[in-house]
Amino acid sequence: MANIRKIARRTFLIGSAAIAGGVAFGVYQLRKDAPNPLVAGEGEAVLTPYVLLNQDGVTIIAPRAEMGQGIHTTLAALVADEMDVAWDDITVLHGPPAQAYYNQALLGLALPFRHYADTEFRHTLRQTIGQVGKLLHLQVTGGSTSVKDAYERMRHAGASAREALKLAAADQLGVAAGDLRTQDSHVIAPDGTSIAYTALATAVRDVTPPDVALRPRSEWKYLGKSMPRVDMLGKATGTAQFAGDVQLDGMKFATVRMNPKRAGMVSYDDSVARDMAGVEAVIDLGDGIAVVAANTWLAMQAAEAVDIVWQDAAYPADTADMMQAIATSLDAAPDSTVRNDGDVTRTIAGTEVTAEYTVPFLAHTTMEPMNATALLQDGKLDIWVGNQAPIMTRDKCAAAAGVDPEMVTVHTTLMGGGFGRRAETDYAVQAAKIAAALPGTPVRMTWTRTEDIQQDFYRPAAMARFRGIVADGTAQLIDGKIAAPSVTHNSMMRQMGQVPPGPDRAHVEGAADQPYGVPNFRITGHLTDLGVPIGFWRSVAASFNGFFLDTFMDEMAHAAGTDPLQSRLALAEREHAPSAGVIRAVGELAGWTGETPANIGRGIGFCYSFGTPTAQIVEVEDTGRGIRINHCWIACDPGVALDPAIIESQMISGAIYGFSAAMQEEITFSDGMVDQSNFTDYDAMRMQSAPEFTVRILETNPHIGGIGEPGTPPAMPALGNALFDLTGVRARELPLIKTFDLIL
């Protein structure tokens, strides 16, 4: 913790100022045109954006946000393994808003190929196209791309650093750099003479880091193992800093109250609030108000005391009307036909299977509500905020505060959950507006839980209609139609003012891109122009399409009279060996036989998403007092298991997120407003309801896959399929609590 405190006390600036530290290393040719955001202070050196060295140890600058998923630990290991840094010498800081930290992997996902079928050429093409993200300043944490993006970049940074240190030490020792070796943050000469990396911080300043080959996996020391989390000590001791932990002299406290109908205000009367002792200000935000007070609780009480007349919503007033709009678009001409194998219009002898599915709107409900701390002073804005998009946050806050982006410093803190919600900028912009209204006064802005739920950008409600034909014990035809508002269109219009051209492939992910060798296979997308604010939610469209398609696969297997696991396995074996591998592995892990006792049900779920095929088997039990989930077995194949413990944790976390949505979560609307307001009416799976988990990680996938989201999509159909096995009732609508007596 000493390193963290010392670094935090020193200046961490962007562009024209110095970043505390010393020497930054790494050469990665594809990124060298992006300007380095770090400038050296006196007696220090900065070569590239990722690794810093000073007298306190090695500081790794992480280009991605830590929101509990463990990415800072894996990024640190990528560098440290190549650099030969002792694990205890490492400190990790989030990088400032900078083009150098653009996400190359994210943009590559948009190419119109099925990811599971990527050849080496297509994989390289994705990487090449991804470099356009540099021009777009695409510094974003999302899409389960952090490791995919950093896998080579951060290792090259560590390797170059190691060799630069050897060159600097060679000059001091008078020996050839090739005769030196490195170990545990030291350069070691043949005679045993050892020089600490920290002692070379000044000498290495004039060394040009060489571009060197990466070590083979056989030489990895940290990668491939479960490492101690770099954020563990701070979180366990309460010293880790979130945006709500920032303490500044003279700080005031604020909250907001926005239009629950997501429109503007007609008028407001703040006379009662202003007369409350300790209330500093009531600020007009256009579509709501902010109250600044002596403490957060007082600000929240005062905000409720403001009498506001709201404008009406521009979208349908209640859930029934919204669902009708989605159903109507399902009957309209498709906006996309991303998969169209064979001919789904042909006549095939066999058994026809049809089904319609419905899922509701969902909120993110991160454990930490939206919040930010901001200070506008001398024309400069500092904002401390957990966010998934630092450059976008900087630019939006600059516009809100009326200053140039160069005058904004974004301090990206740890965050208590993101799930896509903190890719939005609304709460940061509010803090910037409040700070601009009170120049010279630091203000910590915190949302209430009600505000957090009712001002979310929701996972959209969706509907699907499927028709299939089974013959000779297998699926011969699948024709699926999926309708929902477009997350991509909604989010891009809100953030960038335009909709990307071409068909919305993301709308049908989790269905159109699944590795099943069905001869006649079509998926069409139908977009609903609804107007409800929606955004990226953990696993995005795969969260509902995984439920739709995989539940239908289960229905087809039963109609064909075949085992649900063997049916999926046979279809996957035709298309993608790693996908077949996880289906086979999860069956072995669970001891799947296809037979269960009368009070036990088992179901399998599978979804290929974010480059990682993932299969789950869920076991449920009728206890006589309700149905509980006993066990969940998970098999996944991310290609390379860089940290098995983190992968296992994220798979479990993703499954729990999916179970929560499948069992009980639902956002509904009345009179244009969200009905839910807290965990009393929008709850997640609790610890006492969580099942036992067993996870197996495979490494046969040819390309490294994502981890944060793939555990969510298969959890929903696996649970529904298990309930069918138990009860014989097929639930085609979520949440499942509407159909089954579940123990929550």
Side-chain angles (χ1 to χ4, degrees):
M1 295 305 296
N3 286 355
I4 296 175
R5 288 194 295 269
K6 289 179 182 177
I7 292 172
R9 285 197 296 267
R10 305 181 69 187
T11 310
F12 190 102
L13 300 177
I14 305 166
S16 61
I19 177 166
V23 186
F25 303 95
V27 175
Y28 194 60
Q29 294 302 319
L30 291 177
R31 273 80 174 163
K32 71 177 185 178
D33 292 334
N36 189 336
L38 317 178
V39 179
E42 184 178 353
E44 300 172 340
V46 173
L47 303 180
T48 59
Y50 305 107
V51 186
L52 303 171
L53 176 68
N54 63 17
Q55 298 305 313
D56 298 323
V58 176
T59 300
I60 295 170
I61 302 301
R64 303 292 167 255
E66 177 62 72
M67 59 192 90
Q69 80 278 38
I71 191 59
H72 282 187
T73 301
T74 301
L75 294 180
L78 288 168
V79 173
D81 224 332
E82 291 286 346
M83 192 175 168
D84 284 329
V85 182
W87 193 252
D88 291 341
D89 291 344
I90 295 170
T91 296
V92 181
L93 295 178
H94 191 287
Q99 184 187 38
Y101 303 123
Y102 80 98
N103 189 330
Q104 180 182 4
L106 191 61
L107 203 59
L109 297 177
L111 284 181
F113 308 127
R114 297 172 199 165
H115 290 252
Y116 70 82
D118 271 4
T119 61
E120 284 300 324
F121 171 76
R122 288 180 176 180
H123 179 68
T124 301
L125 185 59
R126 289 189 194 278
Q127 292 180 309
T128 303
I129 294 298
Q131 292 183 69
V132 177
K134 177 166 50 181
L135 304 178
L136 299 175
H137 296 254
L138 197 65
Q139 185 184 4
V140 175
T141 303
S144 297
T145 57
S146 293
V147 168
K148 288 192 284 187
D149 179 67
Y151 181 52
E152 292 189 358
R153 186 191 313 194
M154 303 300 280
R155 291 162 67 207
H156 274 292
S160 296
R162 180 190 72 235
E163 295 305 310
L165 286 162
K166 288 166 66 175
L167 289 169
D171 286 342
Q172 290 190 12
L173 296 171
V175 300
D179 294 333
L180 300 174
R181 64 185 179 89
T182 53
Q183 182 179 340
D184 292 336
S185 307
H186 287 75
V187 180
I188 304 170
D191 65 0
T193 301
S194 177
I195 304 178
Y197 286 176
T198 53
L200 294 167
T202 301
V204 78
R205 176 175 183 143
D206 298 324
V207 176
T208 300
D211 192 4
V212 296
L214 298 174
R215 288 173 168 168
R217 181 169 182 169
S218 60
E219 296 181 16
W220 286 356
K221 179 180 177 182
Y222 302 138
L223 297 173
K225 298 180 176 64
S226 299
M227 297 303 297
R229 290 274 294 259
V230 297
D231 55 341
M232 180 171 57
L233 180 61
K235 290 177 177 177
T237 59
T239 56
Q241 189 178 71
F242 296 78
D245 295 321
V246 175
Q247 298 285 347
L248 301 171
D249 292 340
M251 177 177 283
K252 301 299 180 181
F253 303 86
T255 195
V256 298
R257 187 172 157 217
M258 312 302 291
N259 188 345
K261 300 181 180 182
R262 310 303 283 269
M265 292 189 299
V266 176
S267 62
Y268 69 93
D269 180 357
D270 61 2
S271 56
V272 174
R274 287 183 178 276
D275 287 341
M276 295 172 68
V279 171
E280 304 277 344
V282 178
I283 301 168
D284 187 343
L285 297 177
D287 53 353
I289 55 97
V291 174
V292 182
N295 59 65
T296 299
W297 177 246
L298 176 58
M300 291 177 176
Q301 295 298 105
E304 288 300 314
V306 178
D307 184 18
I308 307 176
V309 179
W310 301 114
Q311 293 179 359
D312 287 333
Y315 47 76
D318 56 43
T319 305
D321 291 339
M322 294 176 185
M323 300 310 293
Q324 181 57 53
I326 295 173
T328 299
S329 65
L330 192 63
D331 291 323
D335 296 278
S336 67
T337 306
V338 173
R339 184 164 191 160
N340 193 11
D341 298 347
D343 181 6
V344 298
T345 65
R346 61 180 294 199
T347 300
I348 299 175
T351 301
E352 184 176 74
V353 184
T354 61
E356 293 191 9
Y357 305 99
T358 303
V359 297
F361 290 96
L362 297 174
H364 293 83
T365 51
T366 60
M367 287 302 293
E368 176 194 16
M370 300 302 107
N371 68 98
T373 297
L375 170 63
L376 181 67
Q377 190 166 9
D378 300 327
K380 299 178 181 179
L381 176 68
D382 277 82
I383 182 161
W384 293 260
V385 59
N387 73 93
Q388 296 176 234
I391 292 177
M392 188 180 301
T393 297
R394 179 198 65 191
D395 293 349
K396 297 282 188 180
C397 288
V403 299
D404 292 333
E406 293 75 19
M407 305 306 288
V408 179
T409 300
V410 176
H411 307 266
T412 299
T413 64
L414 297 173
M415 56 196 85
F419 312 124
R421 179 60 179 92
R422 286 187 160 90
E424 303 288 344
T425 61
D426 53 330
Y427 58 102
V429 165
Q430 291 170 354
K433 288 182 177 180
I434 296 168
L438 298 170
T441 301
V443 180
R444 181 195 298 169
M445 186 274 298
T446 307
W447 284 17
T448 63
R449 180 58 68 183
T450 296
E451 204 73 19
D452 188 72
I453 290 178
Q454 297 187 345
Q455 296 295 321
D456 204 349
F457 294 95
Y458 305 101
R459 199 289 304 269
M463 292 182 178
R465 184 177 299 148
F466 279 83
R467 181 180 72 91
I469 295 177
V470 294
D472 300 323
T474 190
Q476 301 292 340
L477 181 150
I478 296 176
D479 188 9
K481 304 170 67 174
I482 298 164
S486 169
V487 172
T488 301
H489 289 186
N490 197 295
S491 298
M492 293 302 100
M493 180 60 71
R494 182 167 59 249
Q495 301 290 7
M496 304 181 72
Q498 59 184 354
V499 172
D504 186 354
R505 302 184 64 84
H507 177 74
V508 291
E509 284 183 347
D513 55 351
Q514 294 306 288
Y516 287 133
V518 179
N520 306 283
F521 193 171
R522 180 174 68 180
I523 297 291
T524 58
H526 303 254
L527 304 184
T528 310
D529 186 10
L530 197 57
V532 175
I534 60 173
F536 295 100
W537 189 92
R538 191 174 192 173
S539 75
V540 205
S543 69
F544 51 81
N545 289 327
F547 170 71
F548 294 155
L549 179 65
D550 197 76
T551 304
F552 191 65
M553 298 302 295
D554 210 68
E555 296 204 44
M556 294 185 75
H558 282 283
T562 57
D563 178 85
L565 186 150
Q566 295 300 325
S567 173
R568 289 170 175 81
L569 179 59
L571 293 171
E573 284 177 331
R574 302 176 187 174
E575 287 284 303
H576 189 233
S579 293
V582 299
I583 295 172
R584 188 181 299 109
V586 80
E588 294 171 356
L589 198 63
W592 177 279
T593 64
E595 301 293 332
T596 55
N599 66 327
I600 297 292
R602 282 188 171 189
I604 181 172
F606 169 83
C607 187
Y608 179 98
S609 64
F610 305 94
T612 300
T614 305
Q616 298 179 14
I617 289 175
V618 170
E619 179 180 286
V620 296
E621 178 185 0
D622 186 348
T623 67
R625 305 181 309 278
I627 300 170
R628 71 181 180 197
I629 307 176
N630 283 340
H631 206 118
C632 176
W633 295 268
I634 305 174
C636 63
D637 192 340
V640 182
L642 294 178
D643 190 310
I646 287 177
I647 294 173
E648 180 175 339
S649 293
Q650 282 300 289
M651 283 293 151
I652 293 171
S653 167
I656 289 175
Y657 208 70
F659 290 150
S660 298
M663 292 169 67
Q664 66 206 82
E665 292 180 346
E666 181 180 27
I667 289 293
T668 59
F669 292 79
S670 298
D671 192 26
M673 298 182 290
V674 168
D675 297 315
Q676 292 72 29
S677 62
N678 213 313
F679 290 121
T680 54
D681 49 16
Y682 190 89
D683 205 0
M685 172 176 271
R686 297 298 181 120
M687 292 178 69
Q688 71 270 12
S689 302
E692 182 180 353
F693 286 92
T694 305
V695 179
R696 179 177 293 176
I697 304 167
L698 283 68
E699 297 182 85
T700 71
N701 219 351
H703 306 297
I704 195 164
I707 290 301
E709 294 167 278
T712 296
M716 303 183 201
L719 177 56
N721 296 336
L723 290 167
F724 173 77
D725 183 51
L726 174 68
T727 68
V729 176
R730 178 68 69 181
R732 295 171 174 165
E733 179 183 7
L734 298 183
L736 296 167
I737 194 67
K738 291 182 175 180
T739 307
F740 303 101
D741 180 18
L742 304 177
I743 296 176
L744 303 178

